[in-house]
Structure formats: structure tokens, C-alpha cells
Amino acid sequence: MRVVSLVPSLTEAVALTVPGVLVGATDWCSHPVGLDVARVGGSKYPDLDRVRALRPDVVLLNVEENRRADAEALRAAGVPVRVTYPRTVAGALTELGDLLAELGASTEPTWLRAARRAWADPPLLTPTRRAVVPVWRRPWVVLGGDTFAGDVLRRLGVVNAYDEHPERYPRPTLAELRGQQPDLVVLPDEPYTFTADDGPEAFPGVPCALLSGRHLTWYGPSLAEAPALLADQLSRPVPAG
């Protein structure tokens, strides 16, 4: 089995669970640290010639991380692809178990069993908070409904103000965001790197929780520690701007 992963969280999951099958990954695949495989460019714009040159038995993609055009180009070249699309924590845990079994894992890995236990009874923010969740600025982009990260937050006691929006990633103006009058603003450090000095100042008077984007959006080994880590970050927002 020769696997090329164009999804950072799946790269980590495969590398830790089925050692030796991973032959290629994107430049953004940062975990596990020290991973020694061929690099094939970015998630959005991979070098498909380099991918094909690795002679993969399967290329791993994700609906949100990767472009449909690349999946279609690989299929047209006769390269098998496996496309993931988890939109809930439960869905992610199921997809991970199925994928790893397909790639040769004889048993469910320890980290996946730990993730199932952690998410069976996650810590809950009390009282619950109504929040807006920007993932980009210039322009502002926020989490809408039917997203994996949205389900993560819901399970931790955060109600997304845009959860019923017809778009999965709405682009409201800053005035519209402020007009939601949220109890909390959730600012992850990826894909946009929000920090204490970049983000909270746009929401004067509203507490802002700075979250690990990897634990909020990645579905892989980080899921095992995500509930406790994210709950701690949510409970310690930076002072209102």
C-alpha cells in the first residue's frame, strides 16, 4: 500500500497508525513532527505530477481542504482517490476508523479509542454561550451550519450564532457580526492566525476565546485531547477589547 495524503489531519492519523504506507504529504502536513515523506505542494494547489510520480495506491482528500478539480484530474489519470467529508464529531470518528481499517490497520489505534471516550462525555461550558466564530478576516468569514468545527463547539456548550445560516461559511460584514450581539467571540489560530493582538480589538466589549485551530478543525489524533484543551481555552477568554 502506497498512500499520498493531501489532508494534514489524515496525514497524522495514517503516519501514527499504519507506519510505512505514507509516501507523500502536503507542505502543510506538520504532524507528526519530523515526518519524512515526499512533499507535493499545498492542499489547495498540489503538484499533481509529483503525486502521480509517487505511484500511490490511493490519494486521501477532503471536500473542504482540497479542490474537486484535483480529485477529478487524479481519477482521470487512473489514480484512486478517497474523499472524506466529516461534519460531526461522531462522523469523523466513524470515518477515521473505516479509513484506517481500509489502509491496513489490524486494530483500532489507541488514540482513536481515547478520542471516543473523550467525546462520549466532554466538558460543557456553563452557562452556554452564544458566539460568532470567525475563521478569516479581510474579508470576514465565519462558521455557518453543518460544519465539523461547529459540532465540536456545540458539544462543548457553544451556540453558533450562524448555525442556521444557509451557507456553511458566510461572509458577513463586521457591522453584521457585531449586530449579532454575541456573548463570546471564538477566534481559532487557523486558517487565519488570530491572536490576542489581532482579532479581539474588532469586538469591543465582548470576551474573545483564543482557540487551537488544530484541535478545533482537525479530525485525527488531536481529537483525543481536544475536549479538555478547548474547554479550558473557552473558559479563559481574553479581556474584552
Side-chain angles (χ1 to χ4, degrees):
M1 177 69 73
R2 295 175 62 83
V3 178
V4 172
S5 172
L6 304 183
V7 186
S9 54
L10 293 183
T11 296
E12 182 181 18
V14 173
L16 292 180
T17 307
V18 199
V21 305
L22 195 68
V23 297
T26 75
D27 299 342
W28 298 104
C29 293
S30 56
H31 290 73
V33 176
L35 179 66
D36 184 18
V37 297
R39 300 292 175 160
V40 297
S43 299
K44 293 296 184 187
Y45 297 98
D47 186 327
L48 298 186
D49 288 336
R50 286 159 69 184
V51 172
R52 288 191 291 266
L54 292 171
R55 298 177 290 107
D57 295 302
V58 65
V59 177
L60 307 181
L61 301 99
N62 172 265
V63 169
E64 292 191 350
E65 294 268 357
N66 312 111
R67 300 186 306 160
R68 176 181 292 183
D70 291 328
E72 293 175 347
L74 288 168
R75 287 192 181 105
V79 179
V81 301
R82 174 71 148 78
V83 181
T84 61
Y85 190 23
R87 282 161 284 179
T88 64
V89 171
L93 295 172
T94 297
E95 281 200 48
L96 285 164
D98 292 345
L99 173 64
L100 295 171
E102 292 171 16
L103 297 183
S106 57
T107 59
E108 192 166 84
T110 300
W111 63 261
L112 185 51
R113 294 196 297 272
R116 293 189 192 281
R117 291 193 299 270
W119 283 104
D121 186 23
L124 191 65
L125 192 64
T126 54
T128 59
R129 307 287 197 278
R130 184 173 179 274
V132 294
V133 191
V135 294
W136 200 262
R137 69 182 302 181
R138 305 183 189 97
W140 290 96
V141 181
V142 300
L143 278 185
D146 197 29
T147 62
F148 172 74
D151 188 56
V152 167
L153 291 171
R154 186 180 309 111
R155 290 167 177 265
L156 296 174
V158 176
V159 178
N160 181 6
Y162 285 86
D163 194 47
E164 300 301 322
H165 197 281
E167 297 179 17
R168 299 181 69 243
Y169 292 95
R171 296 190 174 200
T173 65
L174 180 56
E176 290 170 336
L177 279 176
R178 291 172 173 169
Q180 290 289 338
Q181 298 183 327
D183 304 314
L184 181 71
V185 177
V186 173
L187 298 172
D189 61 11
E190 64 173 71
Y192 186 91
T193 309
F194 287 107
T195 66
D197 299 318
D198 186 352
E201 80 290 343
F203 302 94
V206 185
C208 295
L210 301 173
L211 265 58
S212 165
R214 175 170 173 257
H215 292 86
L216 178 62
T217 63
W218 286 34
Y219 53 104
S222 59
L223 279 172
E225 60 185 12
L229 187 146
L230 293 175
D232 178 64
Q233 292 175 333
L234 286 167
S235 69
R236 295 186 294 105
V238 298

